[in-house]
Amino acid sequence: MDEMIFRIGQRLENLQIKTLLVLARAKESIVILTERGNLIFLELWNNPTFVDAKTNMHSGVLKLISSAKELKLKIVSFANPRQMYIAFINVFGKKWTTRDICFACSGLLIGGIIGLTIGVNLRKRQPVLRYMQAIQCSNYLGPESVTIAEDAFAPYECTDYDVLVNVKAASVQVIDLQICSGYGRTLRRILQQSRSDLPVTLGRDCTGVITDIGSKVTRLEVGDEVWLSVPFWCQGTLCQSMLVCENRVARKPKNIGFEGACSLPYAGSLALSALAEARIEALNARHKRVLVQGGCTPVGCVLIQLLNHWQAEVTATCYQRAVPVVKALGASDMIVLTEMDTPNETTFSEIDRLEQNNAYLKELKTRGDFFDVIIKTGVECDLDNHDLSNFLKTDGTIISTLPPALTSDSYGVFRRLLLSFYINLKYKLQDFLGLPKNNFDETHMCYVTLDRLTEFVEDGYLQTVVDKIYQPHDIEIALHHIQNPHSMGSTVITFR
């Protein structure tokens, strides 16, 4: 037992000695570090650069204190009523000469003008907010995303080349259905230079009355009854008021009303563009054979009338219900499409469509006709160009007025940035070189085309074809109606 106590005591002594050694070494290290730190601090403190900096800082503080004292004395001196009275007497108590009075008045006048100018320029202008009713697409989920906005922002002032139109009526087009599903969203954001392309107002054409014009507008006047058409990447026309560039606006025909007239601007522009692409005009259309696929569409109705007036031989496709209409428009021959079992539905099943295409192809083969031009204006028959080319003459051509597919709609952020850079660079080069801009094949939507349509209407050989007229709150019914393959002519929304 004693031996165990002895060993424990011996180990404790050894531990105590080691602890003292460690503490002594730690103390020596701290003393050494402290001495080195003092030496480094003294070297920095006595460094010439640091000494100069201390001297400059001290001088700066003294000058600041001196300036503050002088400013205090001046303020006290100026605030002294006695000093203010003496200064007032020195200025106004002497006898003023005519020269002094003129200088004083001039100073007051110039100072007042400068102050007023600065005040007007710096005045915080309150934005004028006006609201209107508009039919808009709030997201790209199809026709179900269309809403009637009662508080849409209404334009109220024109820039130099713009006109403000009070919309009376606007048509609903098939492209509006595609816009509801995202058609043109990338180009819409780039070309409108907007962070977001939503909400987008639907409608591609309208009629109305001009309520205001820009300072440099010379072709139009306030009070003119006009019609207009806009491209797919612009905000649409299904709203109560619209601000648009004067180049897209023309006076509407005087012999038709607002609702009838709005069936022609967009459809007529596409029809004239298709005829120009096919190189058909009044001078060479005689006896040309043209197949209009979709004779009851808005574009088809315009094409049939123009081609008939130019004495071309027009064959049009339509359903049995529309035969009297197509015949009255001037079609010399008709291909009556097979009626489906569910004529009131907006879309056909794949089996029904396949049967219809086969029947249409069989009818073309049975006839054995060859056409100079085939113009596709509707989707009721979706034969591809390879099948249709078998019914063309040697130099014949196939033209489509349907909206072309846009690969840019599926672009991601990086590719969208590249496309934006390319478009902006292209436009800057065109402006620099003075070249005309081609806004994605929409140059035909301008007042020149609309003026031609006005002449056709006023001369009496272009008639309006309106199937249904709805109020804005019936937009869902209107969109449902234009999807029906049995609809004829244009579907119109009236804002009156």
Side-chain angles (χ1 to χ4, degrees):
M1 185 70 179
D2 294 336
E3 184 179 357
M4 185 179 294
I5 294 173
F6 174 76
R7 289 181 178 179
I8 292 172
Q10 190 176 11
R11 289 184 179 180
L12 290 173
E13 289 178 359
N14 292 335
L15 181 62
Q16 185 178 4
I17 292 170
K18 290 181 179 180
T19 303
L20 292 173
L21 290 175
V22 170
L23 292 174
R25 290 178 181 176
K27 182 179 179 181
E28 290 177 1
S29 299
I30 292 172
V31 170
I32 292 171
L33 290 174
T34 304
E35 291 177 352
R36 288 182 179 178
N38 290 332
L39 290 174
I40 292 172
F41 178 76
L42 290 174
E43 289 179 358
L44 290 174
W45 185 260
N46 296 321
N47 188 284
T49 304
F50 189 72
V51 171
D52 293 340
K54 287 191 298 180
T55 304
N56 294 333
M57 186 180 297
H58 183 68
S59 301
V61 172
L62 292 177
K63 288 182 180 179
L64 184 62
I65 294 172
S66 176
S67 299
K69 289 181 178 179
E70 291 179 2
L71 180 63
K72 179 181 177 181
L73 292 175
K74 289 181 179 180
I75 292 173
V76 171
S77 176
F78 285 131
N80 189 343
R82 182 179 179 80
Q83 294 294 332
M84 293 176 65
Y85 175 75
I86 293 172
F88 182 81
I89 292 298
N90 290 335
V91 175
F92 295 100
K94 68 176 184 177
K95 186 177 180 180
W96 281 45
T97 64
T98 305
R99 181 182 177 185
D100 294 335
I101 295 174
C102 290
F103 274 120
C105 293
S106 300
L108 290 173
L109 181 62
I110 295 173
I113 293 174
I114 294 174
L116 180 63
T117 304
I118 294 174
V120 170
N121 291 331
L122 295 181
R123 182 181 62 183
K124 191 172 182 180
R125 297 182 62 185
Q126 295 295 330
V128 179
L129 297 179
R130 299 180 182 179
Y131 301 99
M132 65 177 179
Q133 189 180 64
I135 299 174
Q136 297 179 331
C137 173
S138 56
N139 54 62
Y140 294 130
L141 299 178
E144 295 77 13
S145 61
V146 176
T147 59
I148 303 176
E150 299 290 345
D151 57 350
F153 173 72
Y156 62 91
E157 60 181 358
C158 299
T159 56
D160 290 343
Y161 295 99
D162 288 341
V163 296
L164 188 63
V165 179
N166 179 21
V167 177
K168 300 297 183 181
S171 67
V172 184
Q173 304 288 338
V174 174
I175 193 173
D176 292 318
L177 291 170
Q178 295 177 294
I179 290 175
C180 293
S181 299
Y183 184 82
R185 55 185 173 186
T186 299
L187 290 176
R188 192 174 300 113
R189 181 180 298 182
I190 294 173
L191 296 175
Q192 292 186 147
Q193 298 181 352
S194 173
R195 293 183 179 179
S196 175
D197 52 314
L198 289 172
V200 54
T201 304
L202 301 181
R204 296 300 101 194
D205 58 7
C206 71
T207 56
V209 178
I210 293 180
T211 57
D212 192 15
I213 61 174
S215 59
K216 296 184 180 179
V217 175
T218 58
R219 196 171 45 82
L220 301 167
E221 297 178 357
V222 174
D224 285 346
E225 296 183 353
V226 296
W227 58 3
L228 60 94
S229 180
V230 294
F232 68 90
W233 48 265
C234 287
Q235 288 291 336
T237 59
L238 284 170
C239 54
Q240 291 178 319
S241 183
M242 186 173 183
L243 188 67
V244 64
C245 178
E246 67 161 332
N247 289 334
R248 300 196 183 277
V249 185
R251 292 182 178 88
K252 80 170 185 66
K254 298 178 181 179
N255 56 339
I256 54 176
F258 289 108
E259 283 75 14
C262 73
S263 66
L264 292 176
Y266 184 76
S269 297
L270 291 180
L272 289 177
S273 176
L275 293 174
E277 185 179 352
R279 298 180 181 179
I280 296 179
E281 55 186 15
L283 298 177
N284 64 359
R286 188 180 180 87
H287 301 313
K288 282 188 178 293
R289 304 202 64 188
V290 181
L291 172 61
V292 178
Q293 185 173 294
C296 287
T297 64
V299 179
C301 292
V302 176
L303 284 171
I304 293 173
Q305 294 181 79
L306 293 180
L307 290 169
N308 174 64
H309 178 72
W310 293 342
Q311 298 183 4
E313 298 179 13
V314 184
T315 300
T317 65
C318 63
Y319 291 100
Q320 185 64 44
R321 170 176 175 261
V323 168
V325 176
V326 174
K327 187 175 181 180
L329 292 175
S332 56
D333 191 13
M334 284 162 284
I335 298 177
V336 181
L337 301 176
T338 304
E339 296 283 352
M340 298 295 107
D341 295 333
T342 55
N344 293 324
E345 293 185 1
T346 57
T347 56
F348 295 148
S349 66
E350 290 298 324
I351 296 177
D352 290 338
R353 188 170 296 279
L354 182 60
E355 291 179 358
Q356 187 180 71
N357 289 340
N358 291 334
Y360 176 45
L361 186 60
K362 183 179 179 180
E363 179 67 19
L364 288 174
K365 290 179 179 179
T366 302
R367 289 168 173 258
D369 295 333
F370 292 93
F371 301 96
D372 295 284
V373 181
I374 297 177
I375 304 178
K376 301 166 70 173
T377 70
V379 296
E380 63 269 15
C381 296
D382 55 357
L383 293 179
D384 57 30
N385 290 353
H386 176 72
D387 292 330
L388 291 175
S389 63
N390 296 323
F391 308 100
L392 287 174
K393 295 181 180 179
T394 305
D395 57 346
T397 182
I398 299 174
I399 296 171
S400 176
T401 63
L402 300 173
L406 297 175
T407 57
S408 60
D409 289 340
S410 60
Y411 283 1
V413 176
F414 180 70
R415 296 177 72 183
R416 190 163 58 239
L417 288 174
L418 289 179
L419 180 61
S420 177
F421 175 77
Y422 165 74
I423 292 174
N424 291 325
L425 179 61
K426 176 184 175 182
Y427 280 3
K428 289 185 181 299
L429 288 176
Q430 288 174 335
D431 288 337
F432 179 75
L433 299 175
L435 300 175
K437 293 182 181 179
N438 184 358
N439 292 331
F440 296 89
D441 196 29
E442 299 289 350
T443 52
H444 55 276
M445 293 185 182
C446 63
Y447 73 93
V448 177
T449 303
L450 295 175
D451 285 340
R452 287 189 66 192
L453 292 172
T454 299
E455 292 178 5
F456 296 152
V457 173
E458 292 182 345
D459 289 342
Y461 56 84
L462 181 57
Q463 304 293 326
T464 61
V465 181
V466 177
D467 193 6
K468 298 284 186 179
I469 299 178
Y470 296 101
Q471 296 292 324
H473 60 268
D474 296 323
I475 183 60
E476 293 185 8
I477 302 175
L479 291 173
H480 182 84
H481 178 71
I482 65 173
Q483 294 180 74
N484 191 324
H486 297 274
S487 63
M488 295 183 292
S490 297
T491 301
V492 174
I493 300 292
T494 180
F495 287 92
R496 297 200 289 178

